[in-house]
Amino acid sequence: MQITAEQIAALVNGTVDGDPSVQITHPAKIEEAGPGSITFLADPAYEHHLYGNQATAVLVSRAFTPKQTLAASLIRVDDVRAAVTSLLVAFQETEASRTKRATSAQAVVHESAQIGENVRIGKFSVVEAGAEIGDDTVILDQVYIGPGVKIGARCVLYPGTRVLRDCIIGNDCTFHSNVVIGSDGFGFAPQSDGTYKKVPQVGNVLIEDHVEIGACTVIDRATMGSTLIREGVKLDNLIQIGHNVEVDINTVIAAQAGIAGSAKIGKSVRIGGQVGIAGHLTIADGISLQAKSGVGGHLREEGQALMGAPALPYRDFQRSYVVFKQLPEVYRELARLKKEVEALKEK
């Protein structure tokens, strides 16, 4: 891609300080920017890199004043980070965006499947009986779409994705490689002889619009009814969502989190990496759970931030951790005082 500084300024609602006609071919990190690149300065701690690199253009705030002369053209904007997002969207060329919209001769599509307009189905992908694929959806190589699955318009399924029987996917969703939607929930009934009998998992997974799911994340089908992922939810890689879980709108969950069956996660919740949430719990709207927190009880107060295992209010955990680090010293001091008391008793 080749674009001028002036065109980028128009894209991000900025103004050019320098040569507006310089040609930009790619974005780059501020530490590595070279000729033809555009970088950005959002944190003053990185400013020194500007004076040692060869960037052609730099996104900066409108108030920025360089401490040294810069050869690069400056593109001044109101919000640097927001401008970077817009810039990366413009430069993005995904496998989905450049792929030919057609069904590969090496794909297997059942005759009863309904395929929309301008759909791509890649090599060695399988679309089973009764499945429905919406317009402009891209199914890349080695994807499996099970019987009765419904997928909306403008979705992208990266290689290795599996969407199993009867699951329903909305519009504008993205599933990265090796996502599994609709695997059996973890349902086993203990028997009197110590064995476990599998409980059939006859429900499905329902995912609404504008959901993005990272690589190797698994969402189990419901025992009955639906496991629900609501509109705007963003899931990172390597997440486990159990059967009959409900994740409400605009919630984000980081890698390696696990949510046990029938938990209900509220709106705009933020869940950090390696958080564990026990089954049948309710997490209120707007809660933030810091990384590695463990939740074993309902969290009904909206908007609080928690940390630890079991999770405590964030500031309480921080204060407790300060005390915890001092425990060896406190123990030694306690032992010293105990000896002094014993000595006083002997007098």
Side-chain angles (χ1 to χ4, degrees):
M1 181 177 181
Q2 194 160 350
I3 188 171
T4 67
E6 185 175 36
Q7 290 171 318
I8 292 175
L11 177 70
V12 298
N13 296 318
T15 57
V16 180
D17 184 354
D19 184 355
S21 66
V22 292
Q23 298 289 316
I24 311 299
T25 59
H26 61 283
K29 295 165 59 177
I30 194 169
E31 306 96 315
E32 302 170 356
S37 69
I38 181 169
T39 188
F40 70 97
L41 178 65
D43 184 340
Y46 288 83
E47 182 178 345
H48 65 281
H49 290 293
L50 283 182
Y51 310 118
N53 67 33
Q54 295 180 298
T56 298
V58 185
L59 288 168
V60 297
S61 69
R62 295 193 187 277
F64 174 67
T65 301
K67 296 182 175 66
Q68 301 178 29
T69 302
L70 289 171
S73 293
L74 302 181
I75 300 175
R76 298 185 179 276
V77 295
D78 294 323
D79 184 335
V80 174
R81 295 191 185 279
V84 170
T85 300
S86 298
L87 178 72
L88 295 179
V89 168
F91 274 93
Q92 183 182 42
E93 184 186 22
T94 64
E95 190 174 359
S97 67
R98 65 175 177 260
T99 188
K100 181 181 179 182
R101 302 305 174 95
T103 298
S104 170
Q106 295 165 298
V108 178
V109 179
H110 194 276
E111 60 184 11
S112 67
Q114 299 179 36
I115 309 300
E117 299 292 329
N118 199 34
V119 168
R120 151 78 191 263
I121 303 176
K123 297 185 294 295
F124 307 112
S125 288
V126 175
V127 181
E128 297 280 21
E132 300 178 14
I133 311 297
D135 295 346
D136 299 302
T137 283
V138 174
I139 297 171
L140 293 165
D141 300 344
Q142 300 180 18
V143 172
Y144 177 80
I145 308 299
V149 167
K150 295 178 173 59
I151 298 177
R154 299 174 301 280
C155 294
V156 180
L157 281 67
Y158 281 89
T161 296
R162 276 82 174 108
V163 184
L164 305 179
R165 59 178 173 80
D166 299 323
C167 292
I168 299 172
I169 312 301
N171 301 316
D172 301 294
C173 293
T174 300
F175 299 164
H176 292 277
S177 292
N178 298 319
V179 162
V180 179
I181 306 297
S183 50
D184 275 5
F186 189 65
F188 296 90
Q191 306 298 297
S192 58
D193 62 356
T195 62
Y196 290 85
K197 184 176 181 179
K198 185 177 177 65
V199 177
Q201 306 292 294
V202 300
N204 71 348
V205 177
L206 171 59
I207 296 177
E208 294 185 343
D209 299 346
H210 303 290
V211 170
E212 182 155 349
I213 302 177
C216 298
T217 284
V218 177
I219 302 178
D220 289 344
R221 69 177 53 251
T223 306
M224 294 177 282
S226 297
T227 301
L228 299 174
I229 308 296
R230 296 296 189 186
E231 183 173 356
V233 167
K234 312 300 181 189
L235 303 179
D236 198 357
N237 307 327
L238 296 165
I239 292 170
Q240 159 66 23
I241 305 290
H243 57 192
N244 292 93
V245 167
E246 298 180 18
V247 181
D248 216 332
I249 64 171
N250 298 325
T251 283
V252 293
I253 305 178
Q256 299 183 8
I259 302 177
S262 299
K264 290 180 171 53
I265 312 300
K267 301 178 178 67
S268 301
V269 172
R270 293 181 292 178
I271 297 175
Q274 298 187 340
V275 167
I277 297 175
H280 301 272
L281 299 182
T282 297
I283 308 299
D285 296 348
I287 280 178
S288 295
L289 292 168
Q290 309 300 318
K292 293 192 174 184
S293 295
V295 182
H298 297 291
L299 301 177
R300 303 190 188 279
E301 181 184 340
E302 295 183 4
Q304 58 180 325
L306 301 104
M307 187 173 186
L312 304 172
Y314 180 70
R315 293 188 182 280
D316 289 349
F317 179 87
Q318 294 293 82
R319 286 192 285 265
S320 298
Y321 187 67
V322 169
V323 174
F324 172 75
K325 289 192 296 184
Q326 295 174 346
L327 284 179
E329 181 181 343
V330 170
Y331 179 78
R332 288 192 293 270
E333 180 67 11
L334 180 62
R336 185 185 65 79
L337 292 172
K338 184 178 179 180
K339 288 181 180 179
E340 289 184 3
V341 170
E342 293 297 327
L344 289 172
K345 286 181 178 179
E346 293 174 359
K347 291 183 178 179

